[in-house]
Amino acid sequence: MSKKVCEKCVLDSEIPGITINEESGLCHFCETYAPLSSEEKDEYVARMEELFEEHKGKHKYDMIFALSGGKDSSYTLYKLKNKYPFLKILAVQFDNGFTSENAVANAKKMCEIAGCDYFKLTMEKDILYDTFRKAAESHDVFPKVAKYRASDICNTCISIIKQKLIEQAIVQKAPFVVFAFTGAQSPNPIINLSANFIQWSRKLFEKQLQEMGIDDRDELFLIKKDVIENIGNDAPIMLHPLCLWDYNENTIIKNLVEIGWLPPDINDSNSTNCTLNSFACYNHLDKYDIHPYAFDIAGIVRSGDMSREEGLEKLHKELSQPLIEEAANKLKLKLK
Amino acid sequence: METIKKDILNYLNNKSFMDGNTQLNDNDSLTQNGIMDSIGLIELMDYICEKYSIEIPEDMLTPENFDSLQGITDLIVKLTE
């Protein structure tokens, strides 16, 4: 059967699990697409502002912010602090062993501009490489839905970041944890976490790590048990403000560069900060035949924030062979 | 109750890429069977709260209540009574 591409987004019938309706020419996701209306977005923004008012200034930090130094998190931090200058923010950059030099410089620079504290979360490189090697070698550790959201390597990395940032928020008694996810990556702008849910998420990730052959007995990646036990009644609230704002990649990069953000020093159309990303995409495609950015790009195109042509070009752009080889060497993995 | 169960099953079919021929029994764990992860659970909670106009109390958010078709259905019935 010949390949059919959704007439609205970029998903096609060769991606496992995707069918294109012969009559409408659309994929199932475009057919059932129900974006947040501008009224709903306004309501979420108002709710977020109420929460800021209610919780601000009670402890050293109001917010623990996940800052990769890439375009989305740099932009979100800048805009958040511009709109709400009273927020006391601790920006945490997780150095996964593959963070580009410019990404580190950009994270520090953005904190300087925005007036936030910067903390670089580092771990031993050998431990990180071993973890990502095991993630690359794993099969079906994450649920099917997660395979469409990100590669196994990225899902592992993001899970570590979430665990450690929530841990940091509990320790610092910061009421908010913020991630710069686009609407396509996470459509829920405000998530009230609870101790039960945090505990449950921890168990799920612990099991995923174990299935990869990783025993995190030192709780390097998981939220420390004694931290969860002392959480009390004040679990942090997770916020995704970027999904409430207009999103245009080119405009975001242009605006950031104007204020001193350095353009990416890596040749990866899907990441401006991580030198492991190309290998992660290659590995995911090899294992599952699913491009881990297909749904993200499709979502941005579906929402009108990127043209379909741009999306298709981005999705089908060849992965960087030098980056793939460099990461494979570090992970001591052979390429096919 | 059957309508609610069917609705949740439809949601899972649509959002979790569950294969049409996946056999999901009422008490099967969604997370242990690789159908949902924590992000998926958050999205499912959001859907349920919106669809059934309910708020899920924090203490009810446990695997016993929220990790199977039956558990979720019972929870919705309880909260909409």
Side-chain angles (χ1 to χ4, degrees), chain B residues 13-59:
Chain B
N13 273 318
N14 291 337
K15 300 280 185 181
S16 75
F17 295 90
M18 206 170 78
D19 293 332
N21 51 7
T22 301
Q23 282 293 318
L24 183 66
N25 296 315
D26 288 359
N27 291 306
D28 285 350
S29 160
L30 301 178
T31 54
Q32 301 302 316
N33 285 291
I35 293 163
M36 280 277 153
D37 63 354
S38 55
I39 298 175
L41 286 169
I42 287 168
E43 288 175 3
L44 176 58
M45 268 183 254
D46 202 49
Y47 169 77
I48 288 170
C49 292
E50 178 82 12
K51 165 103 186 181
Y52 296 97
S53 305
I54 54 173
E55 278 195 28
I56 302 169
E58 196 175 297
D59 60 350

mmCIF file of all heavy atoms in Angstrom, chain B residues 13-59:
data_model
loop_
_atom_site.group_PDB
_atom_site.id
_atom_site.type_symbol
_atom_site.label_atom_id
_atom_site.label_comp_id
_atom_site.label_asym_id
_atom_site.label_seq_id
_atom_site.Cartn_x
_atom_site.Cartn_y
_atom_site.Cartn_z
ATOM 1 N N ASN B 13 -8.026 3.517 23.711
ATOM 2 C CA ASN B 13 -7.790 3.104 22.319
ATOM 3 C C ASN B 13 -7.290 4.272 21.478
ATOM 4 O O ASN B 13 -6.400 4.133 20.647
ATOM 5 C CB ASN B 13 -9.086 2.574 21.698
ATOM 6 C CG ASN B 13 -9.272 1.104 21.985
ATOM 7 O OD1 ASN B 13 -8.318 0.324 21.909
ATOM 8 N ND2 ASN B 13 -10.473 0.705 22.348
ATOM 9 N N ASN B 14 -7.870 5.441 21.731
ATOM 10 C CA ASN B 14 -7.524 6.612 20.928
ATOM 11 C C ASN B 14 -6.202 7.252 21.320
ATOM 12 O O ASN B 14 -5.463 7.743 20.484
ATOM 13 C CB ASN B 14 -8.609 7.686 21.051
ATOM 14 C CG ASN B 14 -9.882 7.247 20.374
ATOM 15 O OD1 ASN B 14 -9.854 6.392 19.493
ATOM 16 N ND2 ASN B 14 -11.002 7.815 20.786
ATOM 17 N N LYS B 15 -5.919 7.252 22.610
ATOM 18 C CA LYS B 15 -4.783 8.046 23.091
ATOM 19 C C LYS B 15 -3.542 7.233 23.432
ATOM 20 O O LYS B 15 -2.473 7.794 23.573
ATOM 21 C CB LYS B 15 -5.190 8.847 24.341
ATOM 22 C CG LYS B 15 -6.330 9.802 24.119
ATOM 23 C CD LYS B 15 -5.843 11.062 23.454
ATOM 24 C CE LYS B 15 -6.968 12.071 23.348
ATOM 25 N NZ LYS B 15 -6.557 13.289 22.685
ATOM 26 N N SER B 16 -3.707 5.951 23.638
ATOM 27 C CA SER B 16 -2.540 5.218 24.128
ATOM 28 C C SER B 16 -1.961 4.291 23.063
ATOM 29 O O SER B 16 -1.073 3.509 23.355
ATOM 30 C CB SER B 16 -2.895 4.413 25.369
ATOM 31 O OG SER B 16 -3.651 3.283 24.998
ATOM 32 N N PHE B 17 -2.477 4.343 21.854
ATOM 33 C CA PHE B 17 -2.009 3.487 20.758
ATOM 34 C C PHE B 17 -2.178 2.013 21.113
ATOM 35 O O PHE B 17 -1.431 1.172 20.655
ATOM 36 C CB PHE B 17 -0.541 3.759 20.406
ATOM 37 C CG PHE B 17 -0.320 5.124 19.872
ATOM 38 C CD1 PHE B 17 -0.026 6.160 20.711
ATOM 39 C CD2 PHE B 17 -0.440 5.369 18.518
ATOM 40 C CE1 PHE B 17 0.164 7.434 20.227
ATOM 41 C CE2 PHE B 17 -0.249 6.635 18.024
ATOM 42 C CZ PHE B 17 0.055 7.674 18.882
ATOM 43 N N MET B 18 -3.161 1.760 22.007
ATOM 44 C CA MET B 18 -3.429 0.365 22.363
ATOM 45 C C MET B 18 -3.914 -0.335 21.098
ATOM 46 O O MET B 18 -4.819 0.160 20.428
ATOM 47 C CB MET B 18 -4.536 0.353 23.430
ATOM 48 C CG MET B 18 -4.521 -0.836 24.315
ATOM 49 S SD MET B 18 -5.668 -0.560 25.676
ATOM 50 C CE MET B 18 -7.215 -0.868 24.889
ATOM 51 N N ASP B 19 -3.309 -1.460 20.774
ATOM 52 C CA ASP B 19 -3.738 -2.165 19.569
ATOM 53 C C ASP B 19 -5.198 -2.581 19.698
ATOM 54 O O ASP B 19 -5.652 -2.909 20.789
ATOM 55 C CB ASP B 19 -2.904 -3.445 19.385
ATOM 56 C CG ASP B 19 -1.465 -3.111 19.082
ATOM 57 O OD1 ASP B 19 -1.233 -2.038 18.505
ATOM 58 O OD2 ASP B 19 -0.589 -3.906 19.447
ATOM 59 N N GLY B 20 -5.899 -2.568 18.581
ATOM 60 C CA GLY B 20 -7.305 -2.963 18.583
ATOM 61 C C GLY B 20 -7.503 -4.377 19.126
ATOM 62 O O GLY B 20 -8.539 -4.677 19.709
ATOM 63 N N ASN B 21 -6.490 -5.215 18.943
ATOM 64 C CA ASN B 21 -6.675 -6.601 19.397
ATOM 65 C C ASN B 21 -6.065 -6.858 20.783
ATOM 66 O O ASN B 21 -5.969 -7.995 21.222
ATOM 67 C CB ASN B 21 -6.110 -7.595 18.373
ATOM 68 C CG ASN B 21 -4.701 -7.241 17.980
ATOM 69 O OD1 ASN B 21 -4.118 -6.339 18.582
ATOM 70 N ND2 ASN B 21 -4.147 -7.930 16.990
ATOM 71 N N THR B 22 -5.661 -5.766 21.476
ATOM 72 C CA THR B 22 -5.155 -5.948 22.846
ATOM 73 C C THR B 22 -6.304 -6.366 23.754
ATOM 74 O O THR B 22 -7.356 -5.728 23.769
ATOM 75 C CB THR B 22 -4.552 -4.627 23.392
ATOM 76 O OG1 THR B 22 -3.492 -4.226 22.540
ATOM 77 C CG2 THR B 22 -4.031 -4.789 24.814
ATOM 78 N N GLN B 23 -6.112 -7.447 24.471
ATOM 79 C CA GLN B 23 -7.131 -7.904 25.418
ATOM 80 C C GLN B 23 -6.891 -7.204 26.748
ATOM 81 O O GLN B 23 -5.878 -7.432 27.388
ATOM 82 C CB GLN B 23 -7.028 -9.416 25.604
ATOM 83 C CG GLN B 23 -7.643 -10.230 24.468
ATOM 84 C CD GLN B 23 -9.158 -10.075 24.394
ATOM 85 O OE1 GLN B 23 -9.831 -10.071 25.413
ATOM 86 N NE2 GLN B 23 -9.675 -9.925 23.181
ATOM 87 N N LEU B 24 -7.787 -6.322 27.126
ATOM 88 C CA LEU B 24 -7.627 -5.637 28.402
ATOM 89 C C LEU B 24 -8.792 -6.029 29.301
ATOM 90 O O LEU B 24 -9.940 -5.660 29.056
ATOM 91 C CB LEU B 24 -7.598 -4.109 28.195
ATOM 92 C CG LEU B 24 -7.363 -3.280 29.447
ATOM 93 C CD1 LEU B 24 -5.964 -3.498 30.015
ATOM 94 C CD2 LEU B 24 -7.572 -1.797 29.159
ATOM 95 N N ASN B 25 -8.479 -6.793 30.330
ATOM 96 C CA ASN B 25 -9.531 -7.174 31.276
ATOM 97 C C ASN B 25 -9.776 -6.029 32.254
ATOM 98 O O ASN B 25 -8.913 -5.173 32.454
ATOM 99 C CB ASN B 25 -9.129 -8.456 32.020
ATOM 100 C CG ASN B 25 -9.010 -9.626 31.055
ATOM 101 O OD1 ASN B 25 -9.870 -9.826 30.188
ATOM 102 N ND2 ASN B 25 -7.929 -10.376 31.181
ATOM 103 N N ASP B 26 -10.959 -6.076 32.863
ATOM 104 C CA ASP B 26 -11.372 -4.961 33.726
ATOM 105 C C ASP B 26 -10.388 -4.655 34.849
ATOM 106 O O ASP B 26 -10.244 -3.512 35.246
ATOM 107 C CB ASP B 26 -12.744 -5.260 34.345
ATOM 108 C CG ASP B 26 -13.841 -5.157 33.305
ATOM 109 O OD1 ASP B 26 -13.514 -4.833 32.148
ATOM 110 O OD2 ASP B 26 -15.008 -5.400 33.650
ATOM 111 N N ASN B 27 -9.735 -5.682 35.356
ATOM 112 C CA ASN B 27 -8.842 -5.444 36.499
ATOM 113 C C ASN B 27 -7.359 -5.436 36.124
ATOM 114 O O ASN B 27 -6.502 -5.384 37.003
ATOM 115 C CB ASN B 27 -9.111 -6.491 37.598
ATOM 116 C CG ASN B 27 -10.475 -6.255 38.222
ATOM 117 O OD1 ASN B 27 -10.776 -5.150 38.675
ATOM 118 N ND2 ASN B 27 -11.332 -7.261 38.185
ATOM 119 N N ASP B 28 -7.059 -5.492 34.839
ATOM 120 C CA ASP B 28 -5.652 -5.449 34.413
ATOM 121 C C ASP B 28 -5.039 -4.081 34.726
ATOM 122 O O ASP B 28 -5.694 -3.045 34.553
ATOM 123 C CB ASP B 28 -5.534 -5.689 32.899
ATOM 124 C CG ASP B 28 -5.742 -7.151 32.551
ATOM 125 O OD1 ASP B 28 -5.777 -7.982 33.476
ATOM 126 O OD2 ASP B 28 -5.888 -7.452 31.352
ATOM 127 N N SER B 29 -3.782 -4.096 35.152
ATOM 128 C CA SER B 29 -3.100 -2.836 35.456
ATOM 129 C C SER B 29 -2.726 -2.103 34.160
ATOM 130 O O SER B 29 -2.119 -2.683 33.262
ATOM 131 C CB SER B 29 -1.832 -3.135 36.269
ATOM 132 O OG SER B 29 -0.948 -2.046 36.185
ATOM 133 N N LEU B 30 -3.091 -0.828 34.093
ATOM 134 C CA LEU B 30 -2.759 -0.038 32.893
ATOM 135 C C LEU B 30 -1.261 0.253 32.847
ATOM 136 O O LEU B 30 -0.658 0.292 31.779
ATOM 137 C CB LEU B 30 -3.531 1.285 32.894
ATOM 138 C CG LEU B 30 -5.060 1.184 32.924
ATOM 139 C CD1 LEU B 30 -5.673 2.587 32.966
ATOM 140 C CD2 LEU B 30 -5.579 0.439 31.701
ATOM 141 N N THR B 31 -0.675 0.473 34.017
ATOM 142 C CA THR B 31 0.749 0.823 34.020
ATOM 143 C C THR B 31 1.633 -0.419 33.884
ATOM 144 O O THR B 31 2.632 -0.394 33.173
ATOM 145 C CB THR B 31 1.135 1.594 35.303
ATOM 146 O OG1 THR B 31 0.736 0.827 36.436
ATOM 147 C CG2 THR B 31 0.476 2.950 35.360
ATOM 148 N N GLN B 32 1.224 -1.500 34.527
ATOM 149 C CA GLN B 32 2.056 -2.720 34.454
ATOM 150 C C GLN B 32 1.960 -3.379 33.076
ATOM 151 O O GLN B 32 2.824 -4.150 32.696
ATOM 152 C CB GLN B 32 1.638 -3.734 35.527
ATOM 153 C CG GLN B 32 1.733 -3.215 36.964
ATOM 154 C CD GLN B 32 3.116 -2.746 37.337
ATOM 155 O OE1 GLN B 32 4.100 -3.400 37.035
ATOM 156 N NE2 GLN B 32 3.218 -1.571 37.961
ATOM 157 N N ASN B 33 0.887 -3.086 32.357
ATOM 158 C CA ASN B 33 0.743 -3.672 31.020
ATOM 159 C C ASN B 33 1.213 -2.732 29.908
ATOM 160 O O ASN B 33 0.915 -2.953 28.728
ATOM 161 C CB ASN B 33 -0.711 -4.077 30.777
ATOM 162 C CG ASN B 33 -1.066 -5.340 31.539
ATOM 163 O OD1 ASN B 33 -0.592 -6.431 31.226
ATOM 164 N ND2 ASN B 33 -1.856 -5.194 32.596
ATOM 165 N N GLY B 34 1.916 -1.685 30.315
ATOM 166 C CA GLY B 34 2.533 -0.803 29.323
ATOM 167 C C GLY B 34 1.550 0.052 28.537
ATOM 168 O O GLY B 34 1.864 0.535 27.457
ATOM 169 N N ILE B 35 0.352 0.260 29.085
ATOM 170 C CA ILE B 35 -0.628 1.072 28.350
ATOM 171 C C ILE B 35 -0.508 2.547 28.748
ATOM 172 O O ILE B 35 -0.711 3.439 27.941
ATOM 173 C CB ILE B 35 -2.050 0.523 28.614
ATOM 174 C CG1 ILE B 35 -2.155 -0.865 27.966
ATOM 175 C CG2 ILE B 35 -3.137 1.445 28.077
ATOM 176 C CD1 ILE B 35 -3.299 -1.693 28.442
ATOM 177 N N MET B 36 -0.185 2.791 29.996
ATOM 178 C CA MET B 36 -0.097 4.169 30.499
ATOM 179 C C MET B 36 1.210 4.402 31.237
ATOM 180 O O MET B 36 1.719 3.482 31.893
ATOM 181 C CB MET B 36 -1.228 4.417 31.509
ATOM 182 C CG MET B 36 -2.563 4.714 30.900
ATOM 183 S SD MET B 36 -2.649 6.448 30.469
ATOM 184 C CE MET B 36 -3.819 6.371 29.142
ATOM 185 N N ASP B 37 1.722 5.611 31.151
ATOM 186 C CA ASP B 37 2.807 6.020 32.043
ATOM 187 C C ASP B 37 2.307 7.213 32.846
ATOM 188 O O ASP B 37 1.122 7.563 32.760
ATOM 189 C CB ASP B 37 4.083 6.338 31.254
ATOM 190 C CG ASP B 37 3.894 7.511 30.307
ATOM 191 O OD1 ASP B 37 2.751 8.000 30.176
ATOM 192 O OD2 ASP B 37 4.881 7.934 29.685
ATOM 193 N N SER B 38 3.189 7.820 33.622
ATOM 194 C CA SER B 38 2.695 8.870 34.523
ATOM 195 C C SER B 38 2.116 10.061 33.757
ATOM 196 O O SER B 38 1.115 10.641 34.176
ATOM 197 C CB SER B 38 3.799 9.313 35.484
ATOM 198 O OG SER B 38 4.931 9.716 34.766
ATOM 199 N N ILE B 39 2.710 10.397 32.615
ATOM 200 C CA ILE B 39 2.166 11.524 31.832
ATOM 201 C C ILE B 39 0.789 11.138 31.286
ATOM 202 O O ILE B 39 -0.157 11.924 31.310
ATOM 203 C CB ILE B 39 3.116 11.910 30.679
ATOM 204 C CG1 ILE B 39 4.459 12.381 31.248
ATOM 205 C CG2 ILE B 39 2.503 13.015 29.815
ATOM 206 C CD1 ILE B 39 5.525 12.669 30.217
ATOM 207 N N GLY B 40 0.683 9.889 30.824
ATOM 208 C CA GLY B 40 -0.605 9.406 30.323
ATOM 209 C C GLY B 40 -1.668 9.436 31.408
ATOM 210 O O GLY B 40 -2.823 9.780 31.158
ATOM 211 N N LEU B 41 -1.270 9.101 32.631
ATOM 212 C CA LEU B 41 -2.227 9.110 33.744
ATOM 213 C C LEU B 41 -2.720 10.529 34.019
ATOM 214 O O LEU B 41 -3.902 10.753 34.271
ATOM 215 C CB LEU B 41 -1.562 8.549 35.009
ATOM 216 C CG LEU B 41 -1.348 7.030 35.037
ATOM 217 C CD1 LEU B 41 -0.456 6.652 36.216
ATOM 218 C CD2 LEU B 41 -2.661 6.275 35.134
ATOM 219 N N ILE B 42 -1.801 11.485 33.946
ATOM 220 C CA ILE B 42 -2.183 12.877 34.180
ATOM 221 C C ILE B 42 -3.203 13.322 33.116
ATOM 222 O O ILE B 42 -4.206 13.958 33.417
ATOM 223 C CB ILE B 42 -0.933 13.790 34.146
ATOM 224 C CG1 ILE B 42 -0.101 13.569 35.407
ATOM 225 C CG2 ILE B 42 -1.325 15.255 34.021
ATOM 226 C CD1 ILE B 42 1.274 14.188 35.373
ATOM 227 N N GLU B 43 -2.937 12.933 31.878
ATOM 228 C CA GLU B 43 -3.853 13.314 30.796
ATOM 229 C C GLU B 43 -5.209 12.630 30.965
ATOM 230 O O GLU B 43 -6.250 13.236 30.732
ATOM 231 C CB GLU B 43 -3.221 12.983 29.437
ATOM 232 C CG GLU B 43 -2.079 13.932 29.113
ATOM 233 C CD GLU B 43 -1.340 13.592 27.830
ATOM 234 O OE1 GLU B 43 -1.744 12.634 27.146
ATOM 235 O OE2 GLU B 43 -0.352 14.283 27.529
ATOM 236 N N LEU B 44 -5.164 11.376 31.400
ATOM 237 C CA LEU B 44 -6.428 10.653 31.632
ATOM 238 C C LEU B 44 -7.224 11.296 32.772
ATOM 239 O O LEU B 44 -8.445 11.465 32.670
ATOM 240 C CB LEU B 44 -6.117 9.173 31.941
ATOM 241 C CG LEU B 44 -7.300 8.276 32.304
ATOM 242 C CD1 LEU B 44 -8.355 8.253 31.200
ATOM 243 C CD2 LEU B 44 -6.830 6.843 32.575
ATOM 244 N N MET B 45 -6.519 11.684 33.823
ATOM 245 C CA MET B 45 -7.195 12.355 34.947
ATOM 246 C C MET B 45 -7.877 13.632 34.474
ATOM 247 O O MET B 45 -9.017 13.909 34.815
ATOM 248 C CB MET B 45 -6.142 12.763 35.990
ATOM 249 C CG MET B 45 -5.892 11.766 37.068
ATOM 250 S SD MET B 45 -4.710 12.526 38.183
ATOM 251 C CE MET B 45 -3.264 11.629 37.788
ATOM 252 N N ASP B 46 -7.137 14.387 33.669
ATOM 253 C CA ASP B 46 -7.655 15.642 33.146
ATOM 254 C C ASP B 46 -8.927 15.392 32.322
ATOM 255 O O ASP B 46 -9.926 16.091 32.467
ATOM 256 C CB ASP B 46 -6.568 16.279 32.262
ATOM 257 C CG ASP B 46 -6.763 17.758 32.100
ATOM 258 O OD1 ASP B 46 -6.951 18.421 33.119
ATOM 259 O OD2 ASP B 46 -6.740 18.237 30.942
ATOM 260 N N TYR B 47 -8.862 14.363 31.494
ATOM 261 C CA TYR B 47 -10.006 14.010 30.644
ATOM 262 C C TYR B 47 -11.226 13.652 31.502
ATOM 263 O O TYR B 47 -12.337 14.124 31.276
ATOM 264 C CB TYR B 47 -9.619 12.840 29.732
ATOM 265 C CG TYR B 47 -10.792 12.225 29.012
ATOM 266 C CD1 TYR B 47 -11.365 12.860 27.907
ATOM 267 C CD2 TYR B 47 -11.355 11.024 29.448
ATOM 268 C CE1 TYR B 47 -12.456 12.300 27.254
ATOM 269 C CE2 TYR B 47 -12.438 10.462 28.809
ATOM 270 C CZ TYR B 47 -12.988 11.102 27.716
ATOM 271 O OH TYR B 47 -14.080 10.557 27.081
ATOM 272 N N ILE B 48 -10.980 12.835 32.524
ATOM 273 C CA ILE B 48 -12.080 12.377 33.381
ATOM 274 C C ILE B 48 -12.711 13.554 34.143
ATOM 275 O O ILE B 48 -13.935 13.676 34.211
ATOM 276 C CB ILE B 48 -11.565 11.289 34.366
ATOM 277 C CG1 ILE B 48 -11.300 9.995 33.595
ATOM 278 C CG2 ILE B 48 -12.554 11.037 35.483
ATOM 279 C CD1 ILE B 48 -10.577 8.936 34.396
ATOM 280 N N CYS B 49 -11.850 14.413 34.692
ATOM 281 C CA CYS B 49 -12.368 15.563 35.451
ATOM 282 C C CYS B 49 -13.227 16.456 34.556
ATOM 283 O O CYS B 49 -14.287 16.938 34.960
ATOM 284 C CB CYS B 49 -11.219 16.375 36.044
ATOM 285 S SG CYS B 49 -10.330 15.485 37.323
ATOM 286 N N GLU B 50 -12.750 16.661 33.341
ATOM 287 C CA GLU B 50 -13.469 17.510 32.387
ATOM 288 C C GLU B 50 -14.770 16.845 31.953
ATOM 289 O O GLU B 50 -15.847 17.434 32.040
ATOM 290 C CB GLU B 50 -12.545 17.738 31.170
ATOM 291 C CG GLU B 50 -13.113 18.551 30.052
ATOM 292 C CD GLU B 50 -12.996 20.048 30.311
ATOM 293 O OE1 GLU B 50 -12.275 20.455 31.245
ATOM 294 O OE2 GLU B 50 -13.646 20.778 29.572
ATOM 295 N N LYS B 51 -14.671 15.593 31.530
ATOM 296 C CA LYS B 51 -15.814 14.882 30.956
ATOM 297 C C LYS B 51 -16.923 14.676 31.987
ATOM 298 O O LYS B 51 -18.103 14.808 31.687
ATOM 299 C CB LYS B 51 -15.319 13.541 30.397
ATOM 300 C CG LYS B 51 -16.390 12.528 30.089
ATOM 301 C CD LYS B 51 -16.664 12.439 28.627
ATOM 302 C CE LYS B 51 -17.843 11.518 28.356
ATOM 303 N NZ LYS B 51 -18.155 11.358 26.979
ATOM 304 N N TYR B 52 -16.542 14.333 33.217
ATOM 305 C CA TYR B 52 -17.555 14.005 34.222
ATOM 306 C C TYR B 52 -17.749 15.127 35.252
ATOM 307 O O TYR B 52 -18.444 14.939 36.255
ATOM 308 C CB TYR B 52 -17.195 12.682 34.913
ATOM 309 C CG TYR B 52 -17.223 11.527 33.928
ATOM 310 C CD1 TYR B 52 -16.063 11.067 33.324
ATOM 311 C CD2 TYR B 52 -18.432 10.942 33.559
ATOM 312 C CE1 TYR B 52 -16.089 10.039 32.392
ATOM 313 C CE2 TYR B 52 -18.469 9.913 32.622
ATOM 314 C CZ TYR B 52 -17.296 9.472 32.043
ATOM 315 O OH TYR B 52 -17.330 8.461 31.114
ATOM 316 N N SER B 53 -17.133 16.267 34.993
ATOM 317 C CA SER B 53 -17.238 17.431 35.882
ATOM 318 C C SER B 53 -17.000 17.048 37.346
ATOM 319 O O SER B 53 -17.832 17.298 38.224
ATOM 320 C CB SER B 53 -18.626 18.079 35.753
ATOM 321 O OG SER B 53 -18.884 18.403 34.435
ATOM 322 N N ILE B 54 -15.899 16.390 37.582
ATOM 323 C CA ILE B 54 -15.571 15.994 38.956
ATOM 324 C C ILE B 54 -14.144 16.429 39.295
ATOM 325 O O ILE B 54 -13.356 16.739 38.403
ATOM 326 C CB ILE B 54 -15.669 14.454 39.163
ATOM 327 C CG1 ILE B 54 -14.808 13.704 38.109
ATOM 328 C CG2 ILE B 54 -17.100 13.979 39.142
ATOM 329 C CD1 ILE B 54 -14.692 12.213 38.330
ATOM 330 N N GLU B 55 -13.866 16.457 40.568
ATOM 331 C CA GLU B 55 -12.481 16.639 41.009
ATOM 332 C C GLU B 55 -12.077 15.376 41.744
ATOM 333 O O GLU B 55 -12.868 14.856 42.544
ATOM 334 C CB GLU B 55 -12.376 17.844 41.939
ATOM 335 C CG GLU B 55 -12.281 19.132 41.166
ATOM 336 C CD GLU B 55 -11.823 20.296 42.007
ATOM 337 O OE1 GLU B 55 -11.100 20.081 42.999
ATOM 338 O OE2 GLU B 55 -12.226 21.418 41.664
ATOM 339 N N ILE B 56 -10.903 14.887 41.459
ATOM 340 C CA ILE B 56 -10.484 13.641 42.102
ATOM 341 C C ILE B 56 -9.698 13.993 43.360
ATOM 342 O O ILE B 56 -8.627 14.605 43.277
ATOM 343 C CB ILE B 56 -9.617 12.797 41.142
ATOM 344 C CG1 ILE B 56 -10.408 12.502 39.856
ATOM 345 C CG2 ILE B 56 -9.190 11.489 41.810
ATOM 346 C CD1 ILE B 56 -9.589 11.903 38.730
ATOM 347 N N PRO B 57 -10.244 13.660 44.530
ATOM 348 C CA PRO B 57 -9.517 13.985 45.770
ATOM 349 C C PRO B 57 -8.159 13.297 45.804
ATOM 350 O O PRO B 57 -8.008 12.169 45.310
ATOM 351 C CB PRO B 57 -10.418 13.437 46.880
ATOM 352 C CG PRO B 57 -11.739 13.200 46.237
ATOM 353 C CD PRO B 57 -11.490 12.937 44.796
ATOM 354 N N GLU B 58 -7.216 14.014 46.390
ATOM 355 C CA GLU B 58 -5.825 13.541 46.406
ATOM 356 C C GLU B 58 -5.687 12.123 46.972
ATOM 357 O O GLU B 58 -4.978 11.284 46.431
ATOM 358 C CB GLU B 58 -5.026 14.512 47.275
ATOM 359 C CG GLU B 58 -3.552 14.414 47.098
ATOM 360 C CD GLU B 58 -2.864 15.479 47.904
ATOM 361 O OE1 GLU B 58 -3.082 16.669 47.638
ATOM 362 O OE2 GLU B 58 -2.093 15.098 48.793
ATOM 363 N N ASP B 59 -6.423 11.851 48.051
ATOM 364 C CA ASP B 59 -6.255 10.542 48.686
ATOM 365 C C ASP B 59 -6.848 9.397 47.861
ATOM 366 O O ASP B 59 -6.645 8.229 48.166
ATOM 367 C CB ASP B 59 -6.836 10.549 50.121
ATOM 368 C CG ASP B 59 -8.311 10.887 50.130
ATOM 369 O OD1 ASP B 59 -8.823 11.296 49.073
ATOM 370 O OD2 ASP B 59 -8.946 10.741 51.189
#
